[in-house]
Amino acid sequence: MRLGVLDVGSNTVHLLVVDAHPGARPLPASSHKAELRLAEQLDEDGRISPAAEKSLLAFVESSLTVGEDLGVEEVIGFATSAIRDAPNGEALLTRVRQETGVDLRVLAGGDEARLTFLAVRRWFGWSAGRLLVLDIGGGSLEIASGLDELPDVAISLPLGAGRLTRDRLAGDPPGADQVRAARKYARAAIGRVVRDVVRGGAPDQTVGSSKTFRTLARICGPADAQTPARTLRRADLTQWVPRLAAMTEIQRAELPGVSAGRARQILAGALVAEAAMELLGVESMQISPWALREGVILRRLDDVMSAAGPGI
C-alpha cells in the first residue's frame, strides 16, 4: 500500500510518502516538508500563534493535494511535543480535523521514545544486542533502552533544540552566561533519569536518531566527507561545542550539513547531545537513518498483519 505519514513536529512538518507492505522494508517515494518551527512560534502564554496555526493548516491542505496526486491510500497523521504542550493544542487539532478531515494523533513522550526505538531496532537488527537510543527533536529529548522491540525504559524530557533555544539561548551568539546556564539545566534534567536508564545494564550499541544527531555527526566528521556521517564521537562533539557557541547563526549555516532553519538551534542540540552522552557514559554512537516516522509506519504494518490473522 502507498501510505502518507504526516508528521507535525516541533521543527518540521513533513509528509513522507512510502510504499509499505507487511514483511517488507518501507520504501520512500516522495517527501513534502516545511520548517514551521512550531516550538518557537508561541505567544506569552505558550499558545501556538495564529500565524503558526494558519501555516499548519495550509501545509496540511497542501499535503492532501500532494498525497492525492501520488496515489496515497491512507494518511497517518501525528503530532509531537509542540502541539502536546501548547494550551491551545487540542483546539488546533480540532480545527485541523474540521477544516481538512485529517485526524492528527498526539503522541505522548513515552510513545515517541518507544516508536523511535522500534524503528532503530528494525534497522540495526537483533544482532545489535541491548540498544540505547537517543533522539533530539525540536521540543523534547527521547531516551529508550532495551533488548527487545519494546524498550525497557522509554523517557521523554523537555530538552528539544528549539525549546532550549527559545527559553535559554537568546542572542546571536548567546552570551557565555546563557550557554553555561543552558548546559547546567540540560545536565540536571538528564541526571535525574540516569539511574532509570542504566539499571537494565550497559548497552551493546548506542544509536542517535533525528536530524539534530545527523547534523552534529556531519559537523564533527571529516571536513571533506561527501557522504552522511554514520558515527558521532563525544570527544569530537566536546571540541565543537565552544566553537558553535562563539558562532553567529549565519556562520553556523555555513557549516556542512547545517540548514539555515537549523542554524539557530544546533548549539542547543549540541549541548543536549554532549550532556546525554557524557552522563550516560557514551563515547561514540551510530547514526540511524530511521526514526519516529519509520516507527509509526512499522507499527501500522504490524497492525495490518495482526488484523490479517496467522499466515501459513
Side-chain angles (χ1 to χ4, degrees):
M1 70 179 76
R2 177 156 281 195
L3 295 176
V5 182
L6 183 58
D7 174 2
V8 180
S10 298
N11 279 323
T12 303
V13 184
H14 190 169
L15 174 71
L16 179 65
V17 177
V18 297
D19 290 318
H21 304 278
R25 172 180 171 178
L27 297 176
S30 183
S31 177
H32 173 56
K33 60 185 176 181
E35 287 187 348
L36 300 188
R37 291 189 280 185
L38 295 178
E40 298 182 51
Q41 306 300 315
L42 306 177
D43 62 20
E44 293 181 356
D45 297 325
R47 299 168 64 88
I48 295 173
S49 71
E53 284 194 25
K54 184 177 179 180
S55 296
L56 176 59
L57 283 164
F59 183 86
V60 173
E61 290 173 350
S62 69
S63 295
L64 291 176
T65 300
V66 170
E68 182 178 334
D69 290 345
L70 293 172
V72 167
E73 302 172 52
E74 179 184 349
V75 174
I76 305 170
F78 66 92
T80 56
S81 63
I83 301 291
R84 184 170 68 232
D85 297 337
N88 62 334
E90 284 296 330
L92 176 53
L93 294 181
T94 298
R95 185 179 175 192
V96 169
R97 183 168 56 253
Q98 290 174 343
E99 296 190 19
T100 70
V102 174
D103 192 4
L104 294 173
R105 172 193 172 195
V106 177
L107 295 178
D111 290 336
E112 281 192 61
R114 281 183 280 272
L115 287 166
T116 301
F117 186 90
L118 171 64
V120 173
R121 169 60 74 194
R122 295 276 179 93
W123 181 266
F124 284 90
W126 296 109
S127 62
R130 174 172 286 277
L131 287 175
L132 171 61
V133 177
L134 307 176
D135 185 289
I136 301 172
S140 58
L141 162 69
E142 272 66 56
I143 306 172
S145 178
L147 277 167
D148 300 319
E149 289 197 340
L150 288 176
D152 303 325
V153 178
I155 295 170
S156 181
L157 298 173
L159 293 175
R163 185 194 298 265
L164 193 64
T165 300
R166 181 195 71 214
D167 294 345
R168 299 178 181 273
L169 292 171
D172 187 22
D177 289 345
Q178 287 186 325
V179 174
R180 189 177 304 111
R183 180 181 186 273
K184 180 179 179 180
Y185 172 78
R187 286 171 181 255
I190 296 169
R192 287 191 286 270
V193 302
V194 166
R195 182 179 178 182
D196 293 331
V197 176
V198 303
R199 65 186 177 188
D204 297 300
Q205 187 156 301
T206 301
V207 179
S209 64
S210 74
K211 180 67 172 179
T212 295
F213 275 117
R214 290 196 296 271
T215 300
L216 290 172
R218 182 73 186 279
I219 291 172
C220 296
D224 59 349
Q226 300 300 311
T227 58
R230 299 300 185 196
T231 304
L232 175 63
R233 297 175 62 247
R234 192 176 86 206
D236 296 330
L237 180 59
T238 296
Q239 290 182 352
W240 265 99
V241 167
R243 297 170 66 179
L244 291 171
M247 290 180 176
T248 65
E249 187 175 335
I250 291 176
Q251 290 171 326
R252 292 181 204 144
E254 295 174 350
L255 295 172
V258 181
S259 66
R262 297 274 177 174
R264 183 165 178 261
Q265 301 180 5
I266 197 60
L267 170 60
L271 290 170
V272 173
E274 182 192 28
M277 293 179 77
E278 184 169 338
L279 291 172
L280 294 171
V282 177
E283 297 296 333
S284 68
M285 64 167 58
Q286 300 297 306
I287 305 300
S288 172
W290 280 7
L292 178 59
R293 277 187 295 274
E294 288 76 15
V296 170
I297 295 167
L298 293 168
R299 179 61 69 220
R300 177 69 183 97
L301 294 177
D302 289 348
D303 291 342
V304 170
M305 291 186 69
S306 295
I312 295 175

